[in-house]
Amino acid sequence: MRDFFAGVENRGTNPWPEGRADLHWHLLPPSTPHTVDTLLAPYTQLTRYPGMEEVLPKWLHLTVLHAGPTTTATAPEITQMTDRVRDAVAGTGPIRMTFSRPSIGSLGIERSARPGAPLRRLWDITWKATTAVVGDRWELLPAVPYPHITIAYAGRDAPDDAGRADMKGLLADVDAGEVALEFGTLTLVSQWHTHKRIVWERLAEIPLG
């Protein structure tokens, strides 16, 4: 596996260095014991595997759009973007997605979701709202959106091939299935990472209906 955080810090033309706050649009899972029990609890042996950085319940997120550095947008610009998104999603209604069992990827452990169309629709709405205000100041991220929640990132001491194979064996012994979640709010945050965790400050919450 590869260090996820080193990857974003050295990413092509748009690196995201440790400690820099960027604007993100997220769908955040409900903060309930049921969510934690179903999304995380069966897999703690994996999320706490040596070299992995476990995502705490309060920082679980489904990224819709990674915009640009918070400090390069003025307060009025952020307000304009938020207002445009609010107008675009008014009355659309909550989004319900089904999350698969985790997969052991090259950068972390994630639970992909279906259907993908609602996420792509929000990605398009937030990006159009962003560019309408700031133009081409920022690069579109992700370039190809797909719904997923990461439950652990590979860190500085990411597992090697043998460790990844061991993790897949551990996953095969977990008797837990898919999880359906409903998202009724789109959230704008100012988000940074510590090369261990992804954390944020909430800026706006927009109901989806």
Side-chain angles (χ1 to χ4, degrees):
M1 301 180 79
R2 304 192 307 275
D3 182 348
F4 167 85
F5 300 99
V8 297
E9 289 169 351
N10 300 286
R11 180 176 53 199
T13 59
N14 192 6
W16 184 28
E18 179 180 354
R20 190 187 76 191
D22 284 10
L23 295 172
H24 285 68
W25 288 97
H26 286 328
L27 294 173
L28 301 179
S31 299
T32 64
H34 172 73
T35 301
V36 175
D37 289 345
T38 54
L39 277 180
L40 294 178
Y43 306 103
T44 53
Q45 191 173 8
L46 290 168
T47 58
R48 297 172 186 174
Y49 195 89
M52 301 302 297
E53 301 294 353
E54 178 184 24
V55 178
L56 300 178
K58 67 183 294 185
W59 304 124
L60 287 172
H61 61 282
L62 192 161
T63 299
V64 175
L65 180 76
H66 181 162
T70 305
T71 57
T72 64
T74 66
E77 285 176 332
I78 293 174
T79 298
Q80 290 175 49
M81 286 185 277
T82 304
D83 288 344
R84 286 176 177 271
V85 171
R86 182 178 289 107
D87 290 343
V89 303
T92 56
I95 292 173
R96 187 173 178 84
M97 284 186 279
T98 300
F99 290 81
S100 67
R101 283 170 50 84
S103 61
I104 312 297
S106 58
L107 298 171
I109 306 171
E110 66 180 36
R111 303 192 66 157
S112 59
R114 64 182 191 277
L119 182 279
R120 290 192 297 271
R121 184 167 60 251
L122 290 178
W123 171 78
D124 185 63
I125 287 171
T126 53
W127 181 242
K128 285 179 177 177
T130 299
T131 54
V133 176
V134 304
D136 60 359
R137 186 186 307 170
W138 299 327
E139 182 180 339
L140 176 62
L141 290 172
V144 180
Y146 70 97
H148 67 282
I149 287 178
T150 299
I151 61 175
Y153 294 99
R156 285 190 172 92
D157 300 316
D160 58 14
D161 289 345
R164 187 180 181 194
D166 184 42
M167 292 171 70
K168 289 184 176 182
L170 294 173
L171 176 60
D173 291 332
V174 178
D175 185 16
E178 298 183 329
V179 179
L181 294 178
E182 184 172 278
F183 301 88
T185 304
L186 181 61
T187 304
L188 176 65
V189 302
S190 180
Q191 176 171 299
W192 62 98
H193 73 86
T194 65
H195 209 110
K196 184 179 177 68
R197 303 213 186 282
I198 288 177
V199 298
W200 60 74
E201 174 190 1
R202 298 192 190 205
L203 300 181
E205 295 184 339
I206 299 177
L208 294 175

